[in-house]
Structure formats: C-alpha cells, structure tokens
Amino acid sequence: MMKLALVASLALALTAASAPAQDAQTAASHYYPSEAKTPGAAHPWLLMLPGGGGIDVFGDGHFYFDVAREWNEAGYDVLVLHYQAAAPLIPGAGQAPPPKMEQAVAIDALATAKAKGWLDLQCPGFVMGFSFGGNGTMQLAAEPPANLIGAIGFYPALPGSGEGFAAKVPVLVLQGDEDQLVSPARLDAFVKASADPAKFTVMHYPGAHHGFDIPSLAKPVIYNGGRFEFQPEAELASHLAVTAFRDERLVAANAPAECRSR
C-alpha cells in the first residue's frame, strides 16, 4: 500500500539507546512497561505500537517513551511494543502480513502483561499506533481484545481499501493534510468505505506532515518519498484531541472507580 513497508523491513536493524537494556532472546524482552503515577493498584492501560522504525525515530530513542510518561502522568499503565523485534520470536507472527503480525504481537504482549502484572486487564484499555503501527491499531479496533474501549492512530498505515472493514470500538485518527506517506484522501476513502464510518473521528491538521507530533523532527527529514516534520500547532491540537477522546471513552465505559485514571 505504501512505501512505509520498506521502513518496517529495516526496523530490526535499529536500536534505541534510551530503551531499557533487555535480553533479546524472548518476545517479552521487547515489551517496555511503565506504571501510572497516580495512586491505586488498578489503572486503565495503553498498548503503544510505534512506527516503521520501531522504537527509534531517525536516531531519537526517546519519543515513544516520552509519550508513555505523559500517559503515566495521566494515570495509565503503558506497554510500548517493539513489534518488529518481537514478531520473529512468536510462532507464525513474523510471516504474517503487517496487520496480523502486529495483532499477534499485541495478543502475546497482553498475555505477558497479565502474567507479569504489568497491566490490570480488567480495567479499560486503549491501543495507539503511529504510522506503520496503524496496521495493528486498525486490526485491534476490528478485533478488540477484552476491555479495549478505543483506538488512536497518528497518521496510520491502513490495512486495505476499507471495504468491509468494521471497527468494533471508536477510532480517533490524527492526520496531517500535507502527509505524503499516508494520504489524507486515502484515509478519507478508507473511512467512507468502512462498514460504520461513524465509528471514526478524523482530525485533519492543515500544513502538517508525517511525524508532526515528534519534536526531534524540528529539522525536516526527507525519507522514503515523504517529508517528516514537527509542527507545534498540530502537536498541541492532537494532544488535546487525544486527551478528550480517552476521557470521553473512559466515562462511557463506566469503569469501576479503582480503574479510573484520576
């Protein structure tokens, strides 16, 4: 569908210096948990699916972990998935197409999180994917695990044309109008062709390119046929949209008091 597939194929060669040191022999070693900073034993949760470069964005190994800390401050436990590195260690996942590959890693990560006590899966949860991570985000929106209440995609890669796609949970999409890698027109066509377009909320940001929310891209990067560039106005607007979406979904889920983020 997009040239981002090339980015994904390179991801296994990338590392992030800021990521925790881990034994690379198991899929679980490529899952990075962080705890909510609010009181209580139970919290809502977030699975995060990075872009095609894995947990590295053109040498920036901090971005996804910075986002995780923001969610931690808001009262969420977070699990960042380096799915490119984990997939070859999960039977069948490495050979699957991107949406199914990312879904397989997410399912394994949730089982690991339950076993290790990283996430309380009785509480409501979200999935959030960036760029190539949109494949798994959309797949999980269509086949949600227990207690998943919302999906969030930043300029997400899209699985197919949208024909027959049926989101089972609400989906928020943050999209730059100047994105050359994830076409806004293709996104709109995907939503229109889906089984229930009302499940989608799409926020378009004028003048914004791919990676508009990543501060380390203040100096634009031209790569794989597209422009990656930070835009502060779009970053702030998308942050507010995500906050409103997750708060609204958490209220609608009528979560037990011990699972609420604040």
Side-chain angles (χ1 to χ4, degrees):
M1 175 198 63
M2 295 182 300
K3 294 180 181 178
L4 285 177
L6 174 61
V7 184
S9 70
L10 298 174
L12 290 176
L14 299 173
T15 59
S18 66
Q22 304 244 23
D23 177 0
Q25 299 308 306
T26 66
S29 66
H30 301 291
Y31 307 150
Y32 300 94
S34 57
E35 297 181 350
K37 299 298 188 272
T38 55
H43 301 93
W45 48 270
L46 170 70
L47 285 183
M48 192 186 305
L49 301 175
I55 51 178
D56 178 283
V57 184
F58 300 111
D60 177 358
H62 299 271
F63 172 70
Y64 297 113
F65 300 102
D66 289 343
V67 175
R69 280 190 288 273
E70 291 175 3
W71 281 69
N72 294 154
E73 294 291 341
Y76 287 77
D77 293 328
V78 179
L79 193 56
V80 178
L81 310 184
H82 188 0
Y83 53 86
Q84 295 94 335
L89 303 171
I90 299 171
Q95 295 74 45
K100 288 292 188 179
M101 176 269 286
E102 294 177 30
Q103 179 190 36
V105 174
I107 290 171
D108 182 77
L110 288 173
T112 301
K114 181 178 181 180
K116 293 181 176 292
W118 290 340
L119 304 177
D120 189 329
L121 299 178
Q122 298 302 309
C123 291
F126 293 85
V127 60
M128 181 164 68
F130 298 78
S131 191
F132 201 75
N135 285 295
T137 300
M138 295 298 178
Q139 189 68 36
L140 291 170
E143 300 178 22
N147 295 319
L148 188 79
I149 62 172
I152 302 166
F154 277 83
Y155 33 88
L158 301 168
S161 67
E163 189 70 35
F165 178 84
K168 302 297 193 302
V169 298
V171 181
L172 172 68
V173 179
L174 301 313
Q175 178 70 40
D177 277 354
E178 298 298 322
D179 199 315
Q180 298 162 307
L181 291 168
V182 179
S183 162
R186 173 157 165 62
L187 169 62
D188 291 345
F190 179 91
V191 171
K192 184 177 180 180
S194 69
D196 186 3
K199 276 287 198 296
F200 287 84
T201 299
V202 179
M203 308 298 292
H204 288 282
Y205 300 114
H209 292 269
H210 210 72
F212 63 77
D213 58 320
I214 303 176
S216 61
L217 295 175
K219 181 178 180 180
V221 173
I222 307 301
Y223 183 76
N224 208 29
R227 183 183 185 94
F228 294 70
E229 184 175 11
F230 177 59
Q231 191 199 73
E233 297 82 5
E235 189 276 337
L236 176 59
S238 66
H239 178 85
L240 294 174
V242 167
T243 299
F245 177 77
R246 74 185 181 196
D247 289 351
E248 177 185 291
R249 293 301 307 141
L250 199 60
V251 170
N254 194 28
E258 61 271 19
C259 289
R260 295 172 190 166
S261 61
R262 298 183 187 277

